[in-house]
Amino acid sequence: MSDLTGRTALVTGSARGVGKAVALRYASLGANVVVNYSGDTTNAERTVEEIRALGVEAIAVRADVSRVEEIDRLFAEAADRFGRVDIVVANAGVEIIDQPMLEATEKDFDRLYAINAKGTFFTLQRAAMHIADNGRIIYIGSSTTCNAFPGVGLYGSSKMGARYLVQVLAMEVGNRGITVNTILPTTIEGAGVFTDIADDDPYQQMSRARPLGGRMGRPDDVADAAEYFAGPLASWVSGQALLVSGGAQQ
């Protein structure tokens, strides 16, 4: 188990789902946490309460990552409250699945690329600008970027660019001891479009064929990987992408 006592973690999109699981994991390891959200104030405040119950400090900062000025404000508020940021997890994103490319609209494109591509780009850029030396930057990507899959052309492509950016950024900030890595989760039960998935949903059926456990992913599976990348065991690992998929290739 990693010891993150005295460190500050900023996790975008952490009011619920995967982001919340990562935020709670870091808090359980001793880190103070900046909970970012775009509109779900109730769940953001609940997450902050759960983090504080673990004996560390947390604040909730409402900021839309598709707006660069709000990303700047997010980092400024984190620095004002905690003095420094040691871990940044770029998790905020939106999904559209089961959508053939012929049905994707310009509105869909603009929304997904504004958050998943532009928002992540500038979150990672600002993280590199503001994070303390020897810090950890982590991008939560998607297993859809590993192999082509019908119905996720728009979503998968909006998540692809940041994978490349992670590799470039890892080389550009490595001289400061900062690592930059990607986590590629598969379908995660209880998160995103799978928040309230039924037991008989086709995605549940497909997941039963996964080599490990025969189930969908869970937020804590991603938090496990995020704990590794944030801790000392990954201090010499950078520019990498870790597929978290229960042994499946996507």
Side-chain angles (χ1 to χ4, degrees):
M1 181 175 287
S2 301
D3 183 0
L4 302 181
T5 302
R7 298 191 182 185
T8 297
L10 186 159
V11 184
T12 65
S14 50
R16 53 193 176 87
V18 167
K20 178 176 181 176
V22 173
L24 287 172
R25 177 65 61 84
Y26 289 162
S28 73
L29 298 172
N32 298 316
V33 183
V34 179
V35 174
N36 162 250
Y37 69 105
S38 62
D40 192 350
T41 303
T42 299
N43 277 319
E45 292 177 348
R46 184 176 295 123
T47 300
V48 167
E49 291 174 0
E50 292 179 34
I51 289 171
R52 288 176 175 167
L54 293 170
V56 295
E57 277 303 313
I59 59 171
V61 180
R62 183 170 185 169
D64 179 353
V65 299
S66 70
R67 301 175 64 86
V68 177
E69 65 272 21
E70 296 197 19
I71 297 175
D72 286 334
R73 179 173 54 77
L74 171 62
F75 278 92
E77 292 193 28
D80 286 345
R81 177 61 182 83
F82 295 111
R84 56 187 279 161
V85 175
D86 304 281
I87 303 163
V88 176
V89 180
N91 167 73
V94 290
E95 298 168 271
I96 297 178
I97 62 171
D98 298 328
Q99 179 195 59
M101 283 191 64
L102 295 181
E103 297 177 7
T105 66
E106 183 179 11
K107 182 178 180 180
D108 293 334
F109 180 96
D110 289 344
R111 177 170 175 255
L112 265 66
Y113 270 76
I115 297 172
N116 297 350
K118 176 185 173 183
T120 301
F121 180 97
F122 286 104
T123 297
L124 294 174
Q125 182 197 64
R126 267 31 182 201
M129 292 168 63
H130 297 292
I131 200 165
D133 287 354
N134 302 309
R136 303 285 185 263
I137 301 174
I138 301 164
Y139 165 52
I140 307 296
S142 169
S143 66
T144 60
T145 63
C146 295
N147 297 293
F149 192 81
V152 291
L154 177 58
Y155 171 65
S157 66
S158 74
K159 301 287 283 186
M160 182 68 84
R163 283 192 63 180
Y164 180 81
L165 175 63
V166 161
Q167 294 177 305
V168 173
L169 197 58
M171 292 186 285
E172 293 183 350
V173 300
N175 62 337
R176 293 173 51 203
I178 298 167
T179 66
V180 191
N181 291 290
T182 296
I183 298 171
L184 301 173
T186 184
T187 51
I188 300 296
E189 184 175 11
V193 296
F194 304 108
T195 298
D196 298 308
I197 189 169
D199 289 340
D200 60 352
D201 187 280
Y203 282 94
Q204 292 275 25
Q205 303 296 326
M206 287 189 295
S207 296
R208 294 191 176 109
R210 294 188 181 279
L212 296 176
R215 60 171 176 81
M216 291 183 70
R218 296 168 183 152
D220 274 346
D221 294 324
V222 186
D224 288 342
E227 177 181 342
Y228 166 68
F229 278 135
L233 292 179
S235 62
W236 213 53
V237 177
S238 195
Q240 303 304 306
L242 176 60
L243 179 61
V244 179
S245 64
Q249 296 306 302
Q250 185 178 45

